[in-house]
Amino acid sequence: MRYYAICIFLIFVVFTSCNESHEDNGKNYSKFVFEAYSPSNPEIASGFQIRESDDVKLLEIFNPWDSTFKSQKFYLVNEKDKDLTFPDGKSIKVPIKKLVVLSASHLSFLDVLNKIDLLVGVSSVKYVVSKKFKGLVESRKIKEIGIGDHFKLEELINLSPDVVMISPQKGQSFIPLQNAGLTIIPNGDYLESDPLGRAEWIKFIGVLTGKEKEAIHIFDSIKNEYFQLKKLSETLSYRPTVITGKQYGGFWNLSGGKSYEAQFIEDAGADYLWKENYSTGGIMLDFETVYGRGLEADYWRFLVYTSQDYTYEMLKAEDGRYADFAAFKNKKVIVCNTLKKPFFQKGFLEPQVILADYIHIFHPSLLPHHQNIYYELLK
Amino acid sequence: MTGISLTYHNKQKAVAGKFLLMGALILFLFILNIALGSISIPPYEILKILSGAETGRASWQGIVLDTRLPQAFTAVLAGAALGVSGLMMQTLFRNPLAGPSVLGVSSGASLGVALLMMIVSVPDIRIITQNQISSNFSVVFAAFAGAFAVLLLIMILAAKFRNNTTILIIGIMIAYIISAIVGILQFYSLKEDLQAFVIWGLGSFANVSWQQHAFFFPVVFIGIAISVFMIKPMNALLLGDNYARNLGFNTRRISILLIVAAGILVAVVTAYCGPIAFLGIAIPHLSRNLFKSSDHFINVPGTILSGMMLALFCNMVARLPGFDGALPINAITSLIGAPLVIWVIIKSKHYQKAI
């Protein structure tokens, strides 16, 4: 009998406490109905979504590897609502004050929005081209907390950033960081296959750093310029053919038919030879497949990373068969030297410049005065 | 007396017949390797290209002469090299599970490549090879350096310890140590570098161009030539170390020579084709079963031929039309080689006793 009494009492306690916490939270979040899209909601990017209710924004980030399209929710609240909590997502007080970025490609987004001062940590400056960042790291204002794709866990926790921004990778886990109370936000810009989609992640940075209007403005001007350029080449009857990539380890690594690179080629008024391929990433083919199909392609594009000026001789020295390609013979090889050009650091934010480079190469008469920034014809 | 010599004669005839048959099969597989690929080229056109005539399409000429032909040669050489080195190791250690990888030589090659790719990082490799002997070359060089460092270590140990089992165990332990180091390197590397290393680890016969054959072929040839000179001592070793010594062989020198020859063969194949050492375990079993003999006068040429056959077959499967050549050779060799060994062992009762 006493057992029963204790049991009933316990059940009662549990029940009422549950009820209580429900009611308590209910006061907080039930008045918010996130139906309206925020002005920062993306038009082209598909990796995130922003809705708002009063002063609170709901930032949803879609897990690119989850077939159910489940999203991760973040509630962006300002000073007066800072105690608000939501049952299905983490609250972040915006604008954030301390930020750690684990991918160098996100730095330029902060730079464009003039918010570099928020940074307290980066993964590594090894691949950062900008001298400004390197100076900041050397002067110890920003800590380097990464080694390769890993990071020094305790130093990162010690920095106690408001937000840790990561580049999502499949199978990655941040449980120790989350257990330490850190907020991890995935920035999936590199997964967007549309060049403008990648640039649009500036809006995501904008809502976090309190630079919403500036971000929208910057993106709109990028977009308008991009569409104007795209229009130039849309009606052309001559569309040169293009192949991409080079051979490595016995396989030729090409851009997928629906990839970021393929989209540029398409928008610049050229035909990518593998455009019917459905991959948004890269494809691996054996040499003869590419050789058989691409030998007569008009242009051949790839990235190089070298301190020297890359030349046709160097290309031929890598593999003698490269010299058989028509693009090689006619000197129509397009390269971007990523050691000298901030392609990975800043290229995401300048799709209009990359597109203009391509158009200038494929159809010189359309943009006679353009100076190429990223891509150049190999001399 | 006449009876014995007659059966011996008959046996010799049977072996010669099998050699001829295998030679014909190798030729046939070689032709298939040239004829089949992700791009379909009519057989008549291939003949025209091989005879030096012009063809309708320039790309076909490049595919046949500069892609399929060197790749088929690479497969032939790598198969022979791995088979022979596997046989030498199995005889030396008197262990059917021994293979080219037991010496840790192929892990040494992996370590060299891992150090190059992950510490130097793939984008920087091209900076190092400033005079651009080709970016492929630095990988080959790193693999070779790693393999030889381990080989040297094993040789020093082999000179110190008489007992082959000791060397075998030390070799396997070294392989574990190295794979741990490679694991640490992988853990701290960028994903681009990691991917490059993984791709290298999948192996490929497509990396050896004609220019590189100028080095690949002679080295493989030397290794195989040594193995031919080692036929008699290897037969003696089969009887046991003491027997071999009684027959007047310097067993320690034989051990070292066998290790060097096998090491060179594995090092060069791993350097150019990646770690595909599995073939080395499978091929000697295939040969021993085909000839039902453990005589090295039969098995050395036997492993060379079966190695060529198996490698050509694997290379053909990996590049069958429809796959776009995107099947890694290492997967194919294991997928085909492992069931083959199992089948050989299950099928042959004689063989179960022989091991």
Side-chain angles (χ1 to χ4, degrees), chain A residues 62-112:
Chain A
F62 299 100
N63 181 348
W65 297 286
D66 187 344
S67 52
T68 58
F69 298 105
K70 218 181 116 213
S71 67
Q72 228 178 314
K73 287 180 179 163
F74 297 96
Y75 291 90
L76 310 182
V77 296
N78 54 21
E79 183 64 42
K80 77 173 162 55
D81 295 323
K82 67 177 181 207
D83 297 323
L84 273 178
T85 53
F86 296 87
D88 59 345
K90 194 146 184 168
S91 303
I92 299 170
K93 206 187 100 196
V94 287
I96 50 175
K97 296 272 185 300
K98 279 160 98 183
L99 176 65
V100 166
V101 167
L102 290 184
S103 169
S105 61
H106 300 150
L107 296 177
S108 55
F109 285 81
L110 287 171
D111 193 29
V112 167

Side-chain angles (χ1 to χ4, degrees), chain A residues 246-249 304-306 310 313-319 322, chain B residues 113 116-117 121-142 200 207 212 271:
Chain A
K246 269 198 299 185
Q247 191 182 223
Y248 184 77
V304 295
Y305 186 92
T306 164
Y310 197 74
E313 288 77 51
M314 285 157 86
L315 179 58
K316 195 179 172 183
E318 281 174 35
D319 193 320
Y322 286 157
Chain B
V113 174
L116 176 77
M117 285 182 179
S121 179
V122 171
D124 302 335
I125 290 174
R126 307 225 167 81
I127 302 178
I128 289 184
T129 53
Q130 293 251 340
N131 32 15
Q132 294 279 335
I133 310 169
S134 107
S135 55
N136 249 347
F137 184 80
S138 48
V139 173
V140 171
F141 181 77
W200 177 80
N207 281 330
Q212 287 165 327

